[in-house]
Amino acid sequence: MEFSHESVVVRRGRRSRLPIVVAVHSTALGRAVGGCRMWAYDSWEDGLRDALRLSEGMTRKCAAAGLPNGGGKTVVVLPTGRSLTADERRAALHDVGDIVAEFGGAYVTGPDAGTGPADMAVIGERTEHVFCRPQAAGGSGDPSPFTALGVVAALRSTCLALFGSPALAGRKFAVIGLGHVGEQIARQLAAAGAGLILSDVDPAKRSLGAELGAVFAAAPDAAATAEVDVLVPAALGGLLTRDLVARLRCGAVAGAANNQLADPGVAELLREREILWAPDYIANAGGVVNAVSREVLGDEPEEAVKRIESIADTLTGLFETAARTKITTAQAADDLARRRLAAPVPTAPEPA
């Protein structure tokens, strides 16, 4: 892996004794933003690799979304086979806060897989450089609804490209991963009249399928290879392997998961099979767009929603560019991000 990051800290937490990685990929457009992931990995090196990939993805995400920010990411490597006690979790979050504080505002963290607004309030006890604390604590709250809103906007754009209409009613979607974001995507699709296949490794999520009148597939692979209009990855990354792409029976893939491509060459395989792919960091930008819009740019909620819904316009432009120039949608998105990184926008003010 080529090292292109500005700064990477790998440290064992002073209180928690857990491996913690904070990776800042770029501050070319402004302060780096990126969530705090608390997850169990086979090794701390796997956590480091995830932080490096995710932080670079955040740089592209912010640039493509037109935000005045670069990308970063925090990863706390949890012990395998057991959950943290409340005291252990608090200690780990305070360790994160101390490391983030050392960046002096060059990096601001927020929620990610395994964390939420309440955790950001705990990190906020050690540093002011944190997004998405609960609204009662002065933050913009849970980013999940806004991530889901952006993904649904991306799905409308995807349907427009596939069928000539952005309507979701009557279309069939397979949603893999029913966490905070995936569940809300499923609910919005059901409300719009779409047909659903749902899948999650947690069998308790079967009840959501019953509630929404959806088919529930216990095995994610069965949902991924089902005959649907659009596959919607909403769990962790790496779903789109070369093997899976060869077995897909969908017209497009668009979802909330980060790092969906198991390797960069998968984008070309999707193009060869004429399966439209909505680049993940375009489709799932709604959460960070809302946080920056509300907490940095001072937008009213309605203006923040307009920014999120513009994801559809960005994606439509990328689809058209890729088709016209005969490149992958991944290349079109990366080209857009590079152009914006080469022409920095004015740095955003510090949060009030």
Side-chain angles (χ1 to χ4, degrees):
M1 179 182 296
E2 180 181 353
F3 185 81
S4 60
H5 290 65
E6 292 182 8
S7 181
V8 178
V9 173
V10 182
R11 186 177 302 169
R12 186 175 295 278
R14 180 172 62 84
R15 304 170 185 82
S16 66
R17 309 307 297 164
L18 293 174
I20 298 172
V21 182
V22 178
V24 172
H25 179 257
S26 173
T27 57
L29 295 180
R31 291 175 301 147
V33 297
C36 173
R37 174 167 294 197
M38 298 185 75
W39 207 256
Y41 295 86
D42 290 337
S43 68
W44 70 265
E45 291 93 341
D46 289 339
L48 170 61
R49 280 188 286 270
D50 213 15
L52 294 175
R53 285 193 300 266
L54 291 165
S55 56
E56 185 172 357
M58 282 300 300
T59 293
R60 294 196 299 268
K61 181 183 296 189
C62 291
L67 298 177
N69 297 94
K73 188 65 67 171
T74 297
V75 168
V76 180
V77 180
L78 298 181
T80 56
R82 73 172 183 87
S83 300
L84 298 183
T85 67
D87 287 344
E88 287 172 332
R89 186 178 185 87
R90 184 175 184 82
L93 293 168
H94 278 174
D95 287 337
V96 168
D98 287 347
I99 298 173
V100 170
E102 293 174 12
F103 285 84
Y107 166 62
V108 187
T109 197
D112 199 90
T115 62
D119 297 310
M120 298 308 103
V122 177
I123 292 174
E125 294 171 3
R126 303 298 304 177
T127 179
E128 62 181 331
H129 304 299
V130 59
F131 282 130
C132 298
R133 282 174 283 196
Q135 294 184 16
S140 56
D142 183 6
S144 299
F146 304 101
T147 302
L149 181 66
V151 171
V152 173
L155 291 172
R156 294 185 190 280
S157 174
T158 302
C159 286
L160 176 63
L162 287 179
F163 307 112
S165 168
L168 303 175
R171 304 301 176 193
K172 194 169 184 180
F173 301 85
V175 182
I176 299 178
L178 301 173
H180 293 304
V181 176
E183 177 178 339
Q184 292 182 59
I185 293 170
R187 290 186 180 280
Q188 290 185 43
L189 290 173
L196 292 174
I197 296 174
L198 304 180
S199 183
D200 194 282
V201 294
D202 181 359
K205 298 292 186 178
R206 186 181 295 272
S207 62
L208 179 65
E211 177 187 343
L212 300 181
V215 174
F216 187 86
D221 188 75
T225 56
E227 190 171 352
V228 295
D229 293 312
V230 186
L231 173 63
V232 186
L236 296 181
L239 176 71
L240 297 176
T241 63
R242 293 172 181 267
D243 171 70
L244 178 64
V245 168
R247 296 182 290 122
L248 291 180
R249 295 190 293 162
C250 57
V253 181
N258 286 306
N259 296 327
Q260 293 171 21
L261 305 182
D263 68 74
V266 171
E268 181 59 34
L269 294 181
L270 288 163
R271 190 177 79 89
E272 290 173 359
R273 291 210 58 206
E274 298 184 347
I275 297 173
L276 189 63
W277 182 59
D280 42 34
Y281 63 86
I282 305 292
N284 66 16
V288 69
V289 169
N290 182 72
V292 171
S293 180
R294 296 293 310 283
E295 298 194 39
V296 177
L297 303 179
D299 288 339
E300 294 298 321
E302 297 79 7
E303 183 61 31
V305 167
K306 288 180 182 179
R307 288 182 186 269
I308 294 167
E309 291 179 339
S310 72
I311 286 172
D313 298 328
T314 299
L315 198 51
T316 294
L318 291 176
F319 289 156
E320 292 172 349
T321 297
R324 185 181 66 254
T325 58
K326 300 187 185 324
I327 61 175
T328 66
T329 54
Q331 183 64 57
D334 287 349
D335 288 347
L336 173 63
R338 275 193 291 268
R339 286 196 302 273
R340 291 183 173 171
L341 283 165
V345 296
T347 302
E350 295 286 332

